[in-house]
Amino acid sequence: MIRITFEINEGADSLCSWLNNDEGAGRATPKPGEPKTGELGLLTEILTVVIGPEGAVTATVSATASALISWIRRRTGNCTVKITRADGSSYEITATNIRLRNADEIRALVADTARFINGDTPTEALPTTPPADGTQR
């Protein structure tokens, strides 16, 4: 079983529903956060996602990564999701204009996200922000 945390700048309820309605994805539950010392409130929303059981982990990781990227692509405006594994390492996806990415780039982002969730190092061959000139690659 794999347990990860998603820190989201907005839309945790929406992502929680999205993941829980995807038959193959891990189960998501909201996790109450607490402001850090000196903060008046939270800047991010938190979800805990459990992926398992053991024999189905690989398929579930891929489905969770795919569902996450699909959810991000449907968001309007900017969206940042930080994925943190149980070992404390994290991977951040900043989805500025991610809808402009081509299919190969989206597949690469899903694969990198799944690799990270599985405990591997993402290739990071795909930048998570679009070219400054707005062109599609």
Side-chain angles (χ1 to χ4, degrees):
M1 179 172 12
I2 298 172
R3 184 179 307 270
I4 55 175
T5 302
F6 290 159
E7 250 181 85
I8 307 158
N9 60 332
E10 64 178 55
D13 289 339
S14 172
L15 178 56
C16 186
S17 292
W18 187 271
L19 290 171
N20 289 336
N21 287 326
D22 187 313
E23 294 288 323
R27 298 298 96 203
T29 53
K31 177 181 172 187
E34 293 185 20
K36 295 176 184 165
T37 305
E39 291 180 348
L40 295 176
L42 293 175
L43 299 177
T44 58
E45 301 173 40
I46 300 171
L47 288 180
T48 297
V49 180
V50 176
I51 301 172
E54 284 186 51
V57 169
T58 300
T60 307
V61 165
S62 294
T64 300
S66 182
L68 171 66
I69 301 305
S70 180
W71 178 81
I72 290 171
R73 291 186 73 204
R74 284 164 178 72
R75 304 290 296 167
T76 56
N78 297 335
C79 177
T80 300
V81 178
K82 180 180 179 183
I83 306 166
T84 305
R85 296 189 303 224
D87 68 3
S89 56
S90 62
Y91 181 63
E92 191 169 290
I93 301 170
T94 302
T96 307
N97 297 324
I98 198 168
R99 291 173 306 282
L100 300 177
R101 303 270 178 218
N102 68 41
D104 289 337
E105 291 173 325
I106 295 300
R107 278 190 289 278
L109 183 56
V110 168
D112 263 3
T113 302
R115 271 192 288 282
F116 176 78
I117 292 170
N118 262 330
D120 298 330
T121 303
T123 61
E124 297 187 344
L126 175 67
T128 55
T129 55
D133 62 7
T135 59
Q136 196 169 354
R137 288 179 290 163

